[in-house]
Amino acid sequence: MHIELSRNSSVKLYLQIAKTLADRIQSGLLPQGTKLPSVRHLSSLLSVSPVTVSKAYAELESIHLVVCTQGKGCYVAEPSVSLHREEALDLSWQMSLIDYLPRAQLWRNFNHSRQVPYSFHIAAVQPELLPTREIINDTRRLSSEDPDAMAVYGTFEGDVELREVCAVHLSERGIRTEAEHLLVTSGAQQGIDLVARTFVGPGDVVYMEAPTYTGAIDVFTSRGAKVVMIPMDEQGMRMDILTRLRDTHPPKLIYTIPTFHNPTGITLTTVRRMQLLDLAQSYHCLIVEDDPFSDLYYKTKPPLPIKAHDLSGHVIYIKSFSKTVAPGCRIACVVATGSVLDRLVAAKSTTDLGSPLLTQKALLPFIRHRLDNHLVSLRDQMQDRLTTALHTLQRFAPAEVTWQAPEGGLNIWIKLPPAVDIAELGRLADREGISFLPGGVCYAGGMESNHIRISFSYTAKDTLEAGLRKLCRLLGELLDRSVIMERRPIL
Amino acid sequence: MHIELSRNSSVKLYLQIAKTLADRIQSGLLPQGTKLPSVRHLSSLLSVSPVTVSKAYAELESIHLVVCTQGKGCYVAEPSVSLHREEALDLSWQMSLIDYLPRAQLWRNFNHSRQVPYSFHIAAVQPELLPTREIINDTRRLSSEDPDAMAVYGTFEGDVELREVCAVHLSERGIRTEAEHLLVTSGAQQGIDLVARTFVGPGDVVYMEAPTYTGAIDVFTSRGAKVVMIPMDEQGMRMDILTRLRDTHPPKLIYTIPTFHNPTGITLTTVRRMQLLDLAQSYHCLIVEDDPFSDLYYKTKPPLPIKAHDLSGHVIYIKSFSKTVAPGCRIACVVATGSVLDRLVAAKSTTDLGSPLLTQKALLPFIRHRLDNHLVSLRDQMQDRLTTALHTLQRFAPAEVTWQAPEGGLNIWIKLPPAVDIAELGRLADREGISFLPGGVCYAGGMESNHIRISFSYTAKDTLEAGLRKLCRLLGELLDRSVIMERRPIL
């Protein structure tokens, strides 16, 4: 069992140990019934005192993640959803195999092969609204023109034609760039991961918005980074707090989703964008600007990307085409300059030798000729759904439930009254075929959150309305029940 | 500058520092002209004495990788091929950005977008011999049948239909497995990388064959592993040496290409396969069996994969379809069991959310219906080229040049007499449009090697013959010159 300890940290060692184990248990990487190492064994492994390990175990027991019995040791307690898989073979030895995966909330929360009727946890566009048939048909050209050109490994940095087309696309959005500064990745997730594996190591400080994209937390946590989450207000990441922290915790990297932020929908103001860039320049740190949503605006165009202002190569900009065009192709592009780009390309080579040529060539004609028109109609469709979702919530949600209407993106971040137990809501919703994202997974360390994220984009309009009504009814019932519970005299 | 130091290692600290820096310089990650940190600065950063850093720098200077000047410090010396890229902007701050990429030989040696007429460094099949047109045409079915099924994110572990088909394919080759034990990855490279990021961390001992696949060395080195390279004889990895080392350096993982090994072409005997499995079982370590070539046999079928004998989940088996079917799709599958598989799937989610659905669905019909017939004819074609290559070498290579005829795979591993300077051969060959893989990149730490790897599969038969004749002529000239040099009296 590998636990990254930072002895200079202000966080006490026993809490660092407890937190890492809690992450693994909550991710299901340490399944129910797993015996934790003995106090003596773990303390010698980590070179800490047995008291420290005992305190960590006591902490885990107090939050019901483990059960300790005198003389028998500590075992992972029954989780809400068991991930344990029965195997005919004796694979018990595998449990002693040390791994380096402290957190896998993506795996835990998003790998639902089972489709539910009201899929509100998927921040993606309804398949029927995407140009999939066109894109697949475009591949025919490839087989008639020069099939042999497809029978090779692509370059590490990606197909040069696709990079040229993407550079034009981004230049129209304020990022003046060229093919040679672009790297094609297998989705934005891989872009974030490449940055982390190249530039982030144990103890490096990474700032992120609180809350933020679950997948990014998984990535930086697995590199052993010290993740510092900065609260947001209605103008985005709070620069006053960041400014207070930067001297005591100098950042290596700032990860941000400045435009129609996931999950909150908030957009960072231009003033704060410039402040963030200033800070990166004075601290020689990197900004990762993750931008899946800027083309999906429903009122006015959002401010220019931070990358548009970057003249010194501090910003790594990541543009996904999975949201607006083709999730099945897993194509994103990363814009960077200088040795930062070279090092990312080198990391890409180690990771997978380069993204598949087929998906890159398949997307090329669409992005070149038809993407802009497609985005116009997609914005209309999404705006229509957002309106439906907001109307439904206004009519049916209990008064204590609140949200801020987003001006772009695919998500509504809904605040529930503290009386609602989100795990319980999840179980009830699941029975009715409704899924949502519990807010807690958008925080490092699985902080409690009384928010849920609803994506209004994946289900058809009438389904969206019906599902949200059901969800509002469940919320009402849970709230009523809590009122009754409170009023019930203690017997 | 991040340098992973192992204070328990038998390798002296100054050599560890020198080695890491040498790797970076040779990879081009520290380009020519980069100023190394001052002795004082680096010694405080790494908590070592200034003398240790000075000795490391002196070591690097002695092998001409850096130039040190009194009062000015040490700079990266002029490399044989400059990778430095001119930028209009001032990006010099980026040089101070610490990264975690100690070695990127893949990036350095394989990213030739420039095609040469005699591409002998590419271990891939000639594009014209691959079923690319068929595979692209198969995608039409996808757009006519159910395009919306393609407009979604796939699952992390990969398309279930593809996994079923691959399980059948592997079962016919002795690996009795099912879809639920398979993970689809973006090429074998990603499979190796997922294993490393999940199970290998700083100081973990990884055994590999010496020589081995460059891309695997990059991966394990970048995780900070202690890579131990085991020499080979004509029966594969030398188990006697492995047996001597295993107690003092207990393995976390053994990476092997047992069948038609890359680059040597040697096949590990069944007896040694069983010994390797025994060793993994008694040391509770993992075996990664990388198997790109077993379908490309030219005499008799190779022995069963190690995975076929694995009843206890110690072997992670990786099968690439890039070599035999479609390099442009980047599809491989990984077979594993129990929590080892679960953890790999979790790592896959963090890496890229799963491989693209389009490439998976594109390959499906071909693997299901036509792969076996295709392999029969591909073996014929490849055998024919191998025969041509061996005949050409026999006729034209200087007598001092030797090789062992491989019984499968795509490579010939050629031993040159010590008098041949491989870098010089590379420069001469490049002028004639010939590429090959210098053997040194197949060793960790860039060990000197007097081998080169020639892939006979990528160029058409007559081109292969013509290119090899040219290469033999160059070798002859270099040898003649060295004889003259030796005979020339010192003036």
Side-chain angles (χ1 to χ4, degrees), chain A residues 2 29 83 85 87 89-91 93-101 103-104 106-108 110-111 113 122-125 127-128 130 132-133 135-137 139-140 142-144 147-157 180-181 186 189-190 193 196-202 204 213 215 218-219 222-223 252 284-286 311-314 320 322-323 327-330 337-347 349-359 362 458, chain B residues 2 29 83 85 87 89-91 93-101 103-104 106-108 110-111 113 122-125 127-128 130 132-133 135-137 139-140 142-144 147-148 150-157 180-181 186 189-190 193 196-202 204 213 215 218-219 222-223 252 284-286 311-314 320 322-323 327-330 337-347 349-359 362 458:
Chain A
H2 171 76
L29 292 167
L83 289 160
R85 187 183 291 180
E87 297 280 350
L89 313 168
D90 180 14
L91 302 174
W93 72 273
Q94 291 187 345
M95 274 299 140
S96 67
L97 205 57
I98 294 168
D99 70 49
Y100 299 85
L101 269 179
R103 185 184 194 269
L106 265 181
W107 175 63
R108 178 69 185 270
F110 289 89
N111 207 16
S113 1
I122 303 175
V125 167
E128 287 77 1
L130 293 174
T132 318
R133 194 185 297 258
I135 290 169
I136 296 175
N137 288 346
T139 60
R140 294 186 193 187
L142 301 171
S143 77
S144 54
D148 298 338
M150 300 298 299
V152 294
Y153 289 88
T155 52
F156 299 148
E157 58 268 39
E180 66 184 89
H181 294 127
S186 296
Q189 182 70 28
Q190 191 186 47
D193 187 57
R197 68 189 284 152
T198 309
F199 295 110
V200 177
D204 283 342
Y213 168 53
D218 281 4
V219 165
S222 77
R223 293 291 305 169
K252 178 72 185 279
H284 284 347
C285 77
L286 292 168
L311 297 174
S312 48
H314 285 82
S320 169
S322 297
K323 300 294 178 195
C329 285
R330 312 289 308 113
T337 34
S339 85
V340 168
L341 179 66
D342 287 347
R343 290 184 264 185
L344 290 174
V345 175
S349 75
T350 309
T351 309
D352 64 5
L353 307 182
S355 289
L357 210 48
L358 180 61
T359 47
Y458 191 74
Chain B
H2 171 75
L29 292 168
L83 289 160
R85 186 183 294 181
E87 296 281 350
L89 313 169
D90 180 15
L91 302 175
W93 73 272
Q94 290 187 345
M95 275 298 139
S96 66
L97 204 58
I98 294 166
D99 71 49
Y100 299 85
L101 270 178
R103 185 183 194 271
L106 264 182
W107 175 64
R108 178 69 184 270
F110 288 89
N111 207 16
S113 1
I122 304 175
V125 167
E128 288 77 1
L130 293 174
T132 318
R133 194 185 296 260
I135 289 169
I136 295 176
N137 288 345
T139 60
R140 294 188 194 184
L142 301 172
S143 76
S144 55
D148 297 337
M150 299 300 297
V152 294
Y153 290 87
T155 52
F156 300 147
E157 58 269 39
E180 67 183 89
H181 293 127
S186 296
Q189 182 70 28
Q190 192 186 47
D193 187 58
R197 67 189 285 152
T198 308
F199 295 110
V200 177
D204 283 342
Y213 168 52
D218 281 4
V219 165
S222 77
R223 293 292 304 169
K252 178 72 186 278
H284 284 345
C285 77
L286 292 168
L311 297 174
S312 48
H314 285 81
S320 170
S322 297
K323 300 293 178 197
C329 286
R330 313 287 309 113
T337 34
S339 86
V340 167
L341 178 67
D342 287 346
R343 290 185 264 185
L344 290 174
V345 175
S349 75
T350 309
T351 308
D352 64 4
L353 308 181
S355 288
L357 210 50
L358 179 61
T359 46
Y458 191 74

Side-chain angles (χ1 to χ4, degrees), chain B residues 207 228-232 237-246:
Chain B
Y207 286 110
V228 181
M229 299 198 82
I230 307 293
M232 303 174 72
M237 198 189 267
R238 281 187 54 187
M239 295 305 297
D240 56 330
I241 297 181
L242 190 54
T243 307
R244 274 210 304 278
L245 284 168
R246 65 185 181 188

Side-chain angles (χ1 to χ4, degrees), chain A residues 267-286:
Chain A
T267 293
L268 191 72
T269 60
T270 298
V271 171
R272 290 200 187 170
R273 286 172 194 235
M274 302 308 287
Q275 288 172 339
L276 209 56
L277 193 54
D278 272 354
L279 190 143
Q281 284 166 349
S282 42
Y283 281 79
H284 284 347
C285 77
L286 292 168

Side-chain angles (χ1 to χ4, degrees), chain A residues 46-60:
Chain A
L46 303 177
S47 309
V48 298
S49 78
V51 176
T52 304
V53 175
S54 294
K55 280 175 81 175
Y57 284 2
E59 186 71 23
L60 290 169

Side-chain angles (χ1 to χ4, degrees), chain B residues 174-210:
Chain B
I175 299 175
R176 273 165 306 182
T177 188
E178 287 166 29
E180 67 183 89
H181 293 127
L182 262 66
L183 162 65
V184 176
T185 60
S186 296
Q189 182 70 28
Q190 192 186 47
I192 303 167
D193 187 58
L194 285 176
V195 172
R197 67 189 285 152
T198 308
F199 295 110
V200 177
D204 283 342
V205 173
V206 173
Y207 286 110
M208 313 175 85
E209 284 121 356

Side-chain angles (χ1 to χ4, degrees), chain B residues 245-260:
Chain B
L245 284 168
R246 65 185 181 188
D247 285 323
T248 47
H249 298 81
K252 178 72 186 278
L253 186 148
I254 303 168
Y255 170 85
T256 177
I257 312 164
T259 309
F260 313 132

